[in-house]
Amino acid sequence: MQNLDLSQVKKVFFIGVGGIGISALAKWAIAKGMEVSGLNDEDSPKTLDPLRDLGAKIFMLPEFKDLGNIPEADLYVYSDAWPYRGPEIIKMARDTGKPVLSYFEALGIFAKDYRVIAISGTHGKTTTTAMIGEVLIGLGLDPTIVVGSFVKSFGSNFREGKSDILVVEADEYNKHFLNFNPFATIITNIELDHVDTYLDLKAVEDTFLKLMKQTSKVLIANLSNQNIKMLSENVSLDKVNYINYIDELPNLKVPGEHNRMNASTALALVDYLSLDIQKAKEILAQFSGTWRRLEKRGVTSEGVIIYDDYAHHPTEVKASLNALREIYPKDEYRLTVVFQPHLYSRTKALFNEFINAFDEADRVLLLPIYFAREDKDESISSVILAGEISKHKQNVSGYEDFESLIGEVKALPFDKKEVFITMGAGEAYRIADQCFDFK
């Protein structure tokens, strides 16, 4: 389907259009003059209202079922969750005889006429994409940007540029990033994740190697990591070790060693492209973050400081909690974490890592597992995980439903300097929405 001629596509229908990535592609389709409509299972104002404002027709499932048929389109695009949530709808699309593509398959076609800077890695993709995008905007390169969050500086997950440069968050799940042929590939790190796609770490590394082989010009990665260095020796590319740039970073507004590593990739790219590295440092110093990436949401009338974070892998959980402790030291602030595990398969495969991921927290409250694209697995649960964590840590509880945890949070004594963070790729943020009044 890589030969699909976008100039012949006048109408696109997006299945699962409320997703953070696919909604960015819908905006890009509108920017290209296409008529966009889409379906979502529930209203998601953050992603859907901007599309409505741009003229997209959005259906919710009950309304859609009343139609009796799928709207006519030249192209149908579906998000990863919908082969599980609505396989019958994807079948309806295929029955039209028109092209039906996954989000990343379609994104690869939209990207084919651009010089692609692909930001990949197990962790840090979103923030790194946003940082690099902001730096290249500030340096006058006018890139198009597709990112899996809302970048605070331009208030969107999509930015249309006028140049031929595309900065794109390239996901390894389902080997999605192999839909790109970048001129520059940035790999923030490589760890085992997405165990519903990859059997082991070697399978992950092999897929990253394929991405390297599809890259035409430069690889920017942590070449101080022996595994990544060994992988890179299999490709004939220019290679830049971003670790060499960490000591050149300015003071950042976003805390944490992981964010310093993310920012160093931007400096490495700027230096490789012979751009103004001093100005790049000034831009990075002003970077204010993205939605749901260690985002400070406000302070309650009682003085509880509320954060939200997308971390869903144990390495990410640790990194985010360590970053919070840079701002809110353990001897001064009590830190409560509400975490929602994402996927049965991930929780099961990385169980031992999750047990030790919450050391910086004083209280840990676990929501039921958000299974999204999987069948239920009775052999693993948040209650089981909480039981194991509590063997070496006090104040840990797992819950079977949202309502029980909400009741627990409302009853908690917040009588000290308090930080309260919701974490996870699912719906943990709803806990803060329902339990606190904050600015």
Side-chain angles (χ1 to χ4, degrees), residues 44-60:
S44 175
K46 185 80 171 178
T47 54
L48 294 179
D49 283 354
L51 289 172
R52 293 183 178 109
D53 292 343
L54 291 169
K57 170 64 176 174
I58 308 298
F59 299 90
M60 295 296 112

Side-chain angles (χ1 to χ4, degrees), residues 49 62 178 184 214 232 257 285 303 317 332 350 370 405-406 410 429:
D49 283 354
L178 298 184
Q214 291 179 196
S232 73
E257 183 63 19
V317 172
E332 295 181 38
L350 303 177
Y370 186 79
L405 192 145
I406 288 169
K410 287 182 175 179
Y429 64 89

